[in-house]
Amino acid sequence: MPNAVRINPLIGLPLAVLAGTAIPAQARVNGALRERIDDGLAAALISFSVGLVVMILISALLPRGRAGAAQLLPALRERRFPRYYVLAGAIGGYFVLSQTLTVAVLGVAVFTVAAVAGQTMTGLVVDRLGIGPAGKKALTVMRVVGAVLTIAAVAWAVSPKLSGTSSAGDLLLPVLLPLTAGMLMSFQQAMNGTTGMHYGTPITATLVNFISGAAVLLVCWLIKVAVSGFGNPLPGEWYLYLGGPLGCVFIGLSALLVRSLGVLLTSLGMIGGQLVGSLLLDIFLPAPGSVVVAATVLGTALTLAAIVVATLPWNMPGVLRRR
């Protein structure tokens, strides 16, 4: 197995937060694109297709990208990792599709809580099973406390936006999409981290993600077109196509960071980034009707504190470990 460069958590966690800020920006862009073309599948496909073009260019222009691409087929032939790991991008496609299909129904707040809950729960499981490249992580008291505290903090941060939502019964079925998408994201991060380590760079892991994700979305979109036809024409505003490049940021960084931080801490850092990014959007580029209140700011701060709790020294092997 290739030697992995270990990133200090003091550097890795801020990078994970930075990666997470791209997610609400992507959700805002993809949601606007969906409204313009009236087609959630097409919006997700466009997002992935633009991201794929970006990753092809990066892979072709950067020496590390070319070196990683050269390792793609040998890694598959030699079975350095389970071959189905190359389908991790399908999970990303499912997550983006769940954004475009449910945000209009659920609202960003409910979508965020559902996705965060799923991602946090499976982050603990994936780390305990040792699926990611960082190996097994002990299920310590403080890691569990940090995960639970994160879910509570996110719910508090978005609580002011929940008052106008539909009844619980109306939301039950739609909320399953972001919940399951969040649960699968932890596995995607573990798979990407493992493949990126064997390719020698997260660039190739990100490229393969966009290939598989775009392929799955293309098949779904073609079926949709055959049944119900095309949506509206493509809009001319360039910023509506930034969803793909933003996806390159958080997929690439998560594939890099999960080697050192593990799946749970990478997920928690990105969750903190999601709230920070959402808060910044509400302050500087507010959507119609959005407001910034104390609960949003304090809930975001509590989320960042929960990340610190999950990384306290008591989490080291042998300390408060569950047998």
Side-chain angles (χ1 to χ4, degrees):
M1 182 179 293
N3 291 328
V5 176
R6 294 290 173 178
I7 298 175
N8 190 300
L10 294 178
I11 298 175
L13 281 172
L15 284 176
V17 172
L18 176 63
T21 60
I23 297 178
Q26 184 194 48
R28 176 78 68 87
V29 170
N30 287 343
L33 179 60
R34 180 199 182 281
E35 289 182 4
R36 291 292 299 275
I37 63 178
D38 193 27
D39 189 335
L41 262 174
L45 176 59
I46 291 169
S47 177
F48 256 75
S49 298
V50 175
L52 176 57
V53 171
V54 171
M55 291 312 304
I56 290 174
L57 291 174
I58 291 175
S59 298
L61 295 176
L62 296 183
R64 293 201 64 175
R66 294 194 296 270
Q71 289 296 313
L72 176 56
L73 292 180
L76 291 175
R77 283 198 303 266
E78 297 167 11
R79 297 182 181 272
R80 299 176 190 172
F81 49 80
R83 290 181 175 177
Y84 65 85
Y85 277 25
V86 299
L87 299 178
I91 297 175
Y94 179 58
F95 183 82
V96 172
L97 181 60
S98 70
Q99 280 181 342
T100 60
L101 293 179
T102 65
V103 164
V105 177
L106 300 175
V108 175
V110 177
F111 178 93
T112 300
V113 171
V116 164
Q119 190 175 358
T120 305
M121 288 187 294
T122 53
L124 285 168
V125 174
V126 170
D127 271 351
R128 186 69 184 91
L129 295 177
I131 297 174
K136 289 186 178 182
K137 297 282 187 178
L139 187 62
T140 64
V141 171
M142 296 310 297
R143 287 173 70 85
V144 174
V145 169
V148 173
L149 189 59
T150 296
I151 297 175
V154 171
W156 185 24
V158 302
S159 60
K161 303 178 183 179
L162 298 178
S163 57
T165 58
S166 305
S167 66
D170 295 334
L171 297 180
L172 181 60
L173 186 58
V175 86
L176 290 177
L177 278 175
L179 178 65
T180 53
M183 294 174 71
L184 290 172
M185 275 188 70
S186 295
F187 291 93
Q188 181 196 30
Q189 290 171 354
M191 294 158 73
N192 286 341
T194 299
T195 57
M197 183 172 59
H198 287 286
Y199 298 143
T201 173
I203 295 174
T204 307
T206 307
L207 171 65
V208 174
N209 255 255
F210 277 95
I211 292 174
S212 58
V216 170
L217 289 171
L218 177 60
V219 171
C220 295
W221 179 73
L222 290 174
I223 294 173
K224 180 262 175 189
V225 168
V227 173
S228 58
F230 295 93
N232 296 330
L234 296 178
E237 294 89 343
W238 62 270
Y239 55 84
L240 293 177
Y241 302 95
L242 291 178
L246 290 168
C248 295
V249 173
F250 69 77
I251 292 175
L253 282 177
S254 67
L256 173 66
L257 296 172
V258 74
R259 307 181 197 179
S260 304
L261 303 181
V263 174
L264 177 63
L265 292 187
T266 301
S267 297
L268 294 184
M270 294 181 71
I271 288 166
Q274 289 181 55
L275 291 183
V276 171
S278 298
L279 181 60
L280 292 176
L281 282 175
D282 284 345
I283 293 174
F284 296 107
L285 292 172
S290 64
V291 293
V292 177
V293 296
T296 303
V297 177
L298 294 176
T300 300
L302 182 58
T303 303
L304 298 177
I307 299 170
V308 174
V309 168
T311 59
L312 289 175
W314 301 317
N315 289 310
M316 296 300 290
V319 181
L320 295 181
R321 181 181 297 177
R322 180 177 294 176
R323 300 288 183 182

